[in-house]
């Protein structure tokens, strides 16, 4: 199954990523991690009549140096993430399948 009609991709340089973190912080007060900022930057380049969703990938405190460089503050880890850097990394591999992705997101949201 080809998903070119459903999925698209893009890129963001370090400078564009930092600028996105700065802009979102200045306009909304929200602090993004660099990975989430890449998603927002790329999404902005693809805005159109369709609904656009970006999923945050990490707490900004996971990347304190990048966030501090972008907005001038070092976000603290929330108490619930105090052991973040000691945790085992987890990921889910999935097929290139829209229905599978929708199902996985719905399942994870229901947790």
């Amino acid at each position: 199954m080809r998903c070119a009609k459903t999925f698209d991709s893009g890129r963001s340089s370090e400078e564009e990523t930092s600028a996105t973190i700065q802009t979102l912080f200045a306009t909304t007060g929200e602090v993004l991690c660099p990975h989430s900022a890449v998603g927002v930057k790329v999404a902005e380049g693809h805005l159109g009549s369709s609904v656009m969703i970006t999923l945050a990938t990490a707490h900004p405190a996971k990347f304190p140096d990048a966030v501090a460089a972008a907005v001038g503050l070092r976000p603290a880890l929330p108490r619930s993430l105090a052991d973040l850097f000691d945790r085992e990394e987890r990921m889910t591999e999935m097929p290139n399948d829209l229905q599978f992705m929708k199902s996985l997101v719905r399942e994870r949201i229901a947790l």
Side-chain angles (χ1 to χ4, degrees):
M1 176 177 135
R2 185 168 177 202
C3 291
K5 293 179 184 175
T6 305
F7 292 98
D8 208 339
S9 63
R11 61 171 298 282
S12 179
S13 69
E14 286 188 40
E15 294 78 18
E16 291 168 325
T17 301
S18 185
T20 300
I21 295 170
Q22 291 171 353
T23 300
L24 260 294
F25 181 65
T27 58
T28 69
E30 185 74 26
V31 179
L32 298 178
C33 81
H35 297 156
S36 299
V38 168
V40 169
K41 167 73 172 107
V42 171
E44 288 173 342
H46 291 85
L47 291 176
S49 60
S50 298
V51 173
M52 179 67 63
I53 298 171
T54 61
L55 303 175
T57 59
H59 191 281
K62 186 176 178 186
F63 305 93
D65 295 336
V67 172
V71 298
L73 62 91
R74 296 181 73 80
L77 280 171
R79 185 177 294 157
S80 63
L81 296 176
D83 64 343
L84 177 66
F85 295 106
D86 299 323
R87 294 181 188 179
E88 180 180 341
E89 184 175 2
R90 297 178 297 165
M91 70 174 94
T92 302
E93 291 189 28
M94 56 187 231
N96 184 5
D97 180 304
L98 177 60
Q99 294 309 314
F100 184 89
M101 184 190 75
K102 286 180 178 180
S103 174
L104 182 65
V105 170
R106 285 186 185 112
E107 173 187 310
R108 299 289 169 90
I109 289 173
L111 295 178

